[in-house]
Amino acid sequence: MAASTRGTVLKKRRLSLAALRESTTAQGLALIAPTALYLLVFMIVPMILVGILSLMTRGPYGNVVYRLNFDNYTRLIDPLYLRILMYSIGVGAATTLITLVIGYPLAYYIARVPARQRNVLLFLILVPFWTNFIIRIYAWIMILRTEGLLNSFLLNLGLIKVPLDILYTPTAVLIGMVYEFLPFMILPLYTSLEKIENAQLEAAADLGARPLASFLRITFPLSLPGITAGSILTFIPAMGMFVVPDLMGGAKTILIGNLVRNQFLTARDWPFGAASSMLLMFLTLAMTLYYTRKVGFSEDLLV
Amino acid sequence: MSEKKPSAWLRLFSALVYLYIYLPIVLLVIFSFNKQKLNVSWEGFTLSWYQELFRNQQILLAIRNSLTIALVSTIVATIIGTLAALALQRYRFPGYTLTESTLYIPVIIPEVVMGISLLVFFSLIGVRLGLGTITLSHIAFSIPFVALVVRARLHGFDKSIEEAAMDLGANELTTFWRVTLPTILPGVLSGALLALTLSLDDYVITYFTAGPGSTTLPLRIFSMVRFAVTPEVNALSTIWVATVFLVLLIGQMVQNRQR
C-alpha cells in the first residue's frame, strides 16, 4: 500500500517534471533571468543614464541642471580635446603595435616547442597576468625613476654621467602600457597559432614553398583572428587607461580616460564628462565592429 | 604546430622577452628584503618591511576590505554566471542574441566608462558609496567573465550522461548535484578564480564606486606609490606574487592530473 502510494507520487512528480522539461523556453528564461536582471540594473540602466546626462547642462556649482543641451558634444571638437583624442588613439595604436611586434614571435615560439615545455612557457606568461596591475606599474616606477635602479646601474657602469629622466615622460607611459598589455596580446596569438596544422605547412614545403613564403601565405593569414583579438584586447583598454598615465606620465600626459575621470572628480562637470565617456564608448564599439567584420573573430580567443 | 625546431634567433628573442617580463618582478622581490628605505641600492638583508607591513593598520584594513568584497562578489557572480552559461549553452529563448551580446559589453568597453556609469547610477538613486556599492559593481563585471569561461567548458559536455541518470530514476535536482555539477566543476572553479582575481585586481571601477572607509588594497597601494617608493609595497607585492604563483601552480597540477 505504502509502496504503491509512493509509486504514484513518484509518477506524478515525474509527469510534472516532464512537463517542465518540455517547456525548455521557460527553463532557459529562468536560468538567464538573474544575469539579465542584474546586468539591466547595474550596466544597461547606468549607461543609459550617462547618455541622458551627456545632454544636460552643468549648473554654476558643479551640479547638473536638467536642460537639454548639445554643447557637451560640440565642445569635444575644440582643438584642445581633439588633441587629447588623437593622442589617446596614438598611444593605443603604439601600444598595440609594439606588443604585436614583441608578442608575435614569442607566441610563435611557444606554439612550436614540445608540449611539456609549452605548458611551462604559457604558465610563465600567466603569472604576471594574474598579478595585480598596480604592482606591475610600481615595479617599473622603481626601475625608471631618477634615483631608480636603471639610473644607478648605468651610473655605476659609467655609461652615463647624469641620470636619465625617463619616468614622467611619454616614453615611460609606453613602457608601462606595453608591459601591462603584453599578455593580452600573446594569449590570443598563441591560441590561433597553435591551431595551425603541421600538415598544412608540410604540404607547402612539399610543393616547394620556402619557409618565408609558407609563413606569409599560410601561417600569417591563419593567425589573423588572433591578431584581431589581441589588438582589440590591447588597443581598447590602452586607449581608455588613466592609471598608467597618472602614475608614470606625470601631469603632462592626458589621455581620454584621464579627461573623463577629471571631469567627474576634479572639474565636476558631469555632463561634459558623460559626453566624453560616450565618445570613448562609441569609438570602441565602432572599432570592435569594424575589426571583427573585416577579419573575422572567434569568441573562444577571448577566454 | 611544432615539429620543426625553432631557430636560435627566435629562441634568443623569446628569452629576452621573458627577461623583460620577469626582471621587474624579480627586482621587486629582491628589494623587499633590502635594508635601505629609498631602494636605490642594496644595503643588506632584512625582514623588517614585512613586520612593518603587518603593523600598518591602513593596509590591514584595505586587505580586509578587498577580501570581503572579493569573496562576496565571487560567490554571487559564480552562481549567477554559471546559470547564464547553462542557459546560453543549452536553451533557446526569446532575447537570446540580445543577452548574449550584452555579456560582451564589460569585456570590451573601457573600464573607465563602466566606472563612471556606476558612479552616476549610484549617486542618482542616492546610495551612499562604500563596500556595498563596490561589491555590487564587482558582481556586475564578473558575471560576464564567469559566464564566458563556464560556457567555453560546457562545449564538450555530453548530455547523454544526464539522460542516463534520469532514466535510472534520479530527479532533475539530484541529476544536477550528482552529475551535471561535478562534470562542469572545473569550468566553474576557473570562472570563480577569474572572478576572484578580477575583483582583487580592480582599481578603476573600485575607484569610482568607493566611499570613505572602503579603501581596497589596489586603492591603498596606488596612494602609497603615487609619489614615493616604499619597501613596504615591495613586501606586499612579494606576498601577492608568491600567492598567485602558488595558486596557479596548484591549479595547473590539478589540471594535469585530470588529463
PDB file of all heavy atoms in Angstrom, chain A residues 101-119:
ATOM      1  N   VAL A 101      54.558  43.333 -32.149  1.00  0.00           N
ATOM      2  CA  VAL A 101      55.913  43.030 -32.634  1.00  0.00           C
ATOM      3  C   VAL A 101      56.668  42.164 -31.627  1.00  0.00           C
ATOM      4  O   VAL A 101      57.394  41.241 -31.994  1.00  0.00           O
ATOM      5  CB  VAL A 101      56.680  44.344 -32.926  1.00  0.00           C
ATOM      6  CG1 VAL A 101      58.148  44.076 -33.153  1.00  0.00           C
ATOM      7  CG2 VAL A 101      56.067  45.037 -34.134  1.00  0.00           C
ATOM      8  N   ILE A 102      56.477  42.436 -30.335  1.00  0.00           N
ATOM      9  CA  ILE A 102      57.145  41.617 -29.314  1.00  0.00           C
ATOM     10  C   ILE A 102      56.424  40.287 -29.140  1.00  0.00           C
ATOM     11  O   ILE A 102      57.046  39.235 -29.004  1.00  0.00           O
ATOM     12  CB  ILE A 102      57.171  42.355 -27.957  1.00  0.00           C
ATOM     13  CG1 ILE A 102      57.959  43.655 -28.068  1.00  0.00           C
ATOM     14  CG2 ILE A 102      57.800  41.473 -26.879  1.00  0.00           C
ATOM     15  CD1 ILE A 102      57.952  44.476 -26.793  1.00  0.00           C
ATOM     16  N   GLY A 103      55.083  40.352 -29.156  1.00  0.00           N
ATOM     17  CA  GLY A 103      54.298  39.172 -28.795  1.00  0.00           C
ATOM     18  C   GLY A 103      54.233  38.107 -29.879  1.00  0.00           C
ATOM     19  O   GLY A 103      54.195  36.919 -29.572  1.00  0.00           O
ATOM     20  N   TYR A 104      54.225  38.536 -31.148  1.00  0.00           N
ATOM     21  CA  TYR A 104      54.049  37.556 -32.218  1.00  0.00           C
ATOM     22  C   TYR A 104      55.162  36.516 -32.262  1.00  0.00           C
ATOM     23  O   TYR A 104      54.874  35.310 -32.212  1.00  0.00           O
ATOM     24  CB  TYR A 104      53.898  38.261 -33.575  1.00  0.00           C
ATOM     25  CG  TYR A 104      53.261  37.375 -34.621  1.00  0.00           C
ATOM     26  CD1 TYR A 104      51.912  37.442 -34.904  1.00  0.00           C
ATOM     27  CD2 TYR A 104      54.022  36.435 -35.320  1.00  0.00           C
ATOM     28  CE1 TYR A 104      51.320  36.620 -35.843  1.00  0.00           C
ATOM     29  CE2 TYR A 104      53.447  35.601 -36.261  1.00  0.00           C
ATOM     30  CZ  TYR A 104      52.094  35.708 -36.517  1.00  0.00           C
ATOM     31  OH  TYR A 104      51.522  34.871 -37.439  1.00  0.00           O
ATOM     32  N   PRO A 105      56.430  36.946 -32.316  1.00  0.00           N
ATOM     33  CA  PRO A 105      57.493  35.925 -32.346  1.00  0.00           C
ATOM     34  C   PRO A 105      57.443  35.015 -31.121  1.00  0.00           C
ATOM     35  O   PRO A 105      57.650  33.810 -31.230  1.00  0.00           O
ATOM     36  CB  PRO A 105      58.786  36.751 -32.355  1.00  0.00           C
ATOM     37  CG  PRO A 105      58.395  38.075 -32.864  1.00  0.00           C
ATOM     38  CD  PRO A 105      56.995  38.309 -32.408  1.00  0.00           C
ATOM     39  N   LEU A 106      57.117  35.609 -29.955  1.00  0.00           N
ATOM     40  CA  LEU A 106      57.081  34.799 -28.741  1.00  0.00           C
ATOM     41  C   LEU A 106      55.955  33.761 -28.807  1.00  0.00           C
ATOM     42  O   LEU A 106      56.160  32.579 -28.507  1.00  0.00           O
ATOM     43  CB  LEU A 106      56.907  35.688 -27.511  1.00  0.00           C
ATOM     44  CG  LEU A 106      56.975  34.913 -26.198  1.00  0.00           C
ATOM     45  CD1 LEU A 106      58.380  34.395 -25.966  1.00  0.00           C
ATOM     46  CD2 LEU A 106      56.527  35.751 -25.034  1.00  0.00           C
ATOM     47  N   ALA A 107      54.765  34.202 -29.252  1.00  0.00           N
ATOM     48  CA  ALA A 107      53.636  33.270 -29.366  1.00  0.00           C
ATOM     49  C   ALA A 107      53.970  32.166 -30.368  1.00  0.00           C
ATOM     50  O   ALA A 107      53.665  30.989 -30.153  1.00  0.00           O
ATOM     51  CB  ALA A 107      52.381  34.028 -29.805  1.00  0.00           C
ATOM     52  N   TYR A 108      54.642  32.558 -31.455  1.00  0.00           N
ATOM     53  CA  TYR A 108      55.061  31.612 -32.492  1.00  0.00           C
ATOM     54  C   TYR A 108      56.031  30.582 -31.896  1.00  0.00           C
ATOM     55  O   TYR A 108      55.903  29.383 -32.115  1.00  0.00           O
ATOM     56  CB  TYR A 108      55.739  32.416 -33.602  1.00  0.00           C
ATOM     57  CG  TYR A 108      56.133  31.628 -34.821  1.00  0.00           C
ATOM     58  CD1 TYR A 108      55.200  31.315 -35.797  1.00  0.00           C
ATOM     59  CD2 TYR A 108      57.447  31.232 -35.013  1.00  0.00           C
ATOM     60  CE1 TYR A 108      55.558  30.612 -36.925  1.00  0.00           C
ATOM     61  CE2 TYR A 108      57.821  30.526 -36.134  1.00  0.00           C
ATOM     62  CZ  TYR A 108      56.878  30.218 -37.098  1.00  0.00           C
ATOM     63  OH  TYR A 108      57.240  29.517 -38.198  1.00  0.00           O
ATOM     64  N   TYR A 109      56.955  31.090 -31.116  1.00  0.00           N
ATOM     65  CA  TYR A 109      57.930  30.203 -30.463  1.00  0.00           C
ATOM     66  C   TYR A 109      57.225  29.223 -29.520  1.00  0.00           C
ATOM     67  O   TYR A 109      57.473  28.014 -29.568  1.00  0.00           O
ATOM     68  CB  TYR A 109      58.951  31.051 -29.699  1.00  0.00           C
ATOM     69  CG  TYR A 109      59.954  30.253 -28.900  1.00  0.00           C
ATOM     70  CD1 TYR A 109      60.991  29.580 -29.543  1.00  0.00           C
ATOM     71  CD2 TYR A 109      59.862  30.150 -27.509  1.00  0.00           C
ATOM     72  CE1 TYR A 109      61.904  28.833 -28.827  1.00  0.00           C
ATOM     73  CE2 TYR A 109      60.773  29.419 -26.786  1.00  0.00           C
ATOM     74  CZ  TYR A 109      61.801  28.762 -27.448  1.00  0.00           C
ATOM     75  OH  TYR A 109      62.702  28.022 -26.740  1.00  0.00           O
ATOM     76  N   ILE A 110      56.323  29.743 -28.676  1.00  0.00           N
ATOM     77  CA  ILE A 110      55.634  28.876 -27.713  1.00  0.00           C
ATOM     78  C   ILE A 110      54.837  27.799 -28.454  1.00  0.00           C
ATOM     79  O   ILE A 110      54.781  26.639 -28.033  1.00  0.00           O
ATOM     80  CB  ILE A 110      54.692  29.698 -26.797  1.00  0.00           C
ATOM     81  CG1 ILE A 110      55.488  30.713 -25.991  1.00  0.00           C
ATOM     82  CG2 ILE A 110      53.947  28.787 -25.827  1.00  0.00           C
ATOM     83  CD1 ILE A 110      54.631  31.625 -25.130  1.00  0.00           C
ATOM     84  N   ALA A 111      54.232  28.169 -29.587  1.00  0.00           N
ATOM     85  CA  ALA A 111      53.422  27.205 -30.332  1.00  0.00           C
ATOM     86  C   ALA A 111      54.279  26.111 -30.963  1.00  0.00           C
ATOM     87  O   ALA A 111      53.768  25.066 -31.349  1.00  0.00           O
ATOM     88  CB  ALA A 111      52.611  27.927 -31.406  1.00  0.00           C
ATOM     89  N   ARG A 112      55.589  26.338 -31.098  1.00  0.00           N
ATOM     90  CA  ARG A 112      56.426  25.359 -31.787  1.00  0.00           C
ATOM     91  C   ARG A 112      57.256  24.461 -30.869  1.00  0.00           C
ATOM     92  O   ARG A 112      57.819  23.481 -31.337  1.00  0.00           O
ATOM     93  CB  ARG A 112      57.400  26.079 -32.737  1.00  0.00           C
ATOM     94  CG  ARG A 112      56.711  27.028 -33.677  1.00  0.00           C
ATOM     95  CD  ARG A 112      57.476  27.182 -34.931  1.00  0.00           C
ATOM     96  NE  ARG A 112      56.931  26.270 -35.910  1.00  0.00           N
ATOM     97  CZ  ARG A 112      57.420  26.116 -37.140  1.00  0.00           C
ATOM     98  NH1 ARG A 112      58.495  26.758 -37.502  1.00  0.00           N
ATOM     99  NH2 ARG A 112      56.840  25.297 -37.969  1.00  0.00           N
ATOM    100  N   VAL A 113      57.360  24.789 -29.591  1.00  0.00           N
ATOM    101  CA  VAL A 113      58.176  23.933 -28.717  1.00  0.00           C
ATOM    102  C   VAL A 113      57.348  22.709 -28.297  1.00  0.00           C
ATOM    103  O   VAL A 113      56.120  22.734 -28.389  1.00  0.00           O
ATOM    104  CB  VAL A 113      58.689  24.692 -27.462  1.00  0.00           C
ATOM    105  CG1 VAL A 113      59.617  25.809 -27.874  1.00  0.00           C
ATOM    106  CG2 VAL A 113      57.534  25.210 -26.634  1.00  0.00           C
ATOM    107  N   PRO A 114      58.038  21.649 -27.833  1.00  0.00           N
ATOM    108  CA  PRO A 114      57.320  20.452 -27.383  1.00  0.00           C
ATOM    109  C   PRO A 114      56.300  20.763 -26.276  1.00  0.00           C
ATOM    110  O   PRO A 114      56.509  21.693 -25.483  1.00  0.00           O
ATOM    111  CB  PRO A 114      58.428  19.562 -26.833  1.00  0.00           C
ATOM    112  CG  PRO A 114      59.667  20.031 -27.480  1.00  0.00           C
ATOM    113  CD  PRO A 114      59.493  21.472 -27.791  1.00  0.00           C
ATOM    114  N   ALA A 115      55.230  19.973 -26.227  1.00  0.00           N
ATOM    115  CA  ALA A 115      54.088  20.255 -25.353  1.00  0.00           C
ATOM    116  C   ALA A 115      54.461  20.530 -23.896  1.00  0.00           C
ATOM    117  O   ALA A 115      53.924  21.438 -23.264  1.00  0.00           O
ATOM    118  CB  ALA A 115      53.092  19.105 -25.425  1.00  0.00           C
ATOM    119  N   ARG A 116      55.388  19.759 -23.356  1.00  0.00           N
ATOM    120  CA  ARG A 116      55.751  19.911 -21.951  1.00  0.00           C
ATOM    121  C   ARG A 116      56.308  21.282 -21.656  1.00  0.00           C
ATOM    122  O   ARG A 116      55.875  21.968 -20.737  1.00  0.00           O
ATOM    123  CB  ARG A 116      56.806  18.843 -21.633  1.00  0.00           C
ATOM    124  CG  ARG A 116      56.533  18.028 -20.411  1.00  0.00           C
ATOM    125  CD  ARG A 116      57.823  17.322 -20.029  1.00  0.00           C
ATOM    126  NE  ARG A 116      57.987  17.389 -18.595  1.00  0.00           N
ATOM    127  CZ  ARG A 116      57.390  16.560 -17.767  1.00  0.00           C
ATOM    128  NH1 ARG A 116      56.603  15.612 -18.229  1.00  0.00           N
ATOM    129  NH2 ARG A 116      57.565  16.664 -16.469  1.00  0.00           N
ATOM    130  N   GLN A 117      57.261  21.670 -22.512  1.00  0.00           N
ATOM    131  CA  GLN A 117      57.897  22.966 -22.381  1.00  0.00           C
ATOM    132  C   GLN A 117      56.874  24.079 -22.620  1.00  0.00           C
ATOM    133  O   GLN A 117      56.904  25.115 -21.963  1.00  0.00           O
ATOM    134  CB  GLN A 117      58.965  23.039 -23.468  1.00  0.00           C
ATOM    135  CG  GLN A 117      60.232  23.729 -23.076  1.00  0.00           C
ATOM    136  CD  GLN A 117      61.204  23.646 -24.232  1.00  0.00           C
ATOM    137  OE1 GLN A 117      61.283  22.644 -24.945  1.00  0.00           O
ATOM    138  NE2 GLN A 117      61.935  24.719 -24.430  1.00  0.00           N
ATOM    139  N   ARG A 118      55.954  23.811 -23.533  1.00  0.00           N
ATOM    140  CA  ARG A 118      54.936  24.794 -23.892  1.00  0.00           C
ATOM    141  C   ARG A 118      54.086  25.170 -22.684  1.00  0.00           C
ATOM    142  O   ARG A 118      53.816  26.337 -22.442  1.00  0.00           O
ATOM    143  CB  ARG A 118      54.046  24.190 -24.982  1.00  0.00           C
ATOM    144  CG  ARG A 118      53.193  25.187 -25.699  1.00  0.00           C
ATOM    145  CD  ARG A 118      52.248  24.504 -26.656  1.00  0.00           C
ATOM    146  NE  ARG A 118      52.960  23.670 -27.615  1.00  0.00           N
ATOM    147  CZ  ARG A 118      52.361  22.782 -28.387  1.00  0.00           C
ATOM    148  NH1 ARG A 118      51.057  22.600 -28.294  1.00  0.00           N
ATOM    149  NH2 ARG A 118      53.061  22.055 -29.235  1.00  0.00           N
ATOM    150  N   ASN A 119      53.697  24.152 -21.898  1.00  0.00           N
ATOM    151  CA  ASN A 119      52.885  24.432 -20.716  1.00  0.00           C
ATOM    152  C   ASN A 119      53.619  25.319 -19.724  1.00  0.00           C
ATOM    153  O   ASN A 119      53.031  26.224 -19.136  1.00  0.00           O
ATOM    154  CB  ASN A 119      52.470  23.127 -20.024  1.00  0.00           C
ATOM    155  CG  ASN A 119      51.370  22.444 -20.808  1.00  0.00           C
ATOM    156  OD1 ASN A 119      50.673  23.102 -21.588  1.00  0.00           O
ATOM    157  ND2 ASN A 119      51.222  21.145 -20.615  1.00  0.00           N
TER     158      ASN A 119
END
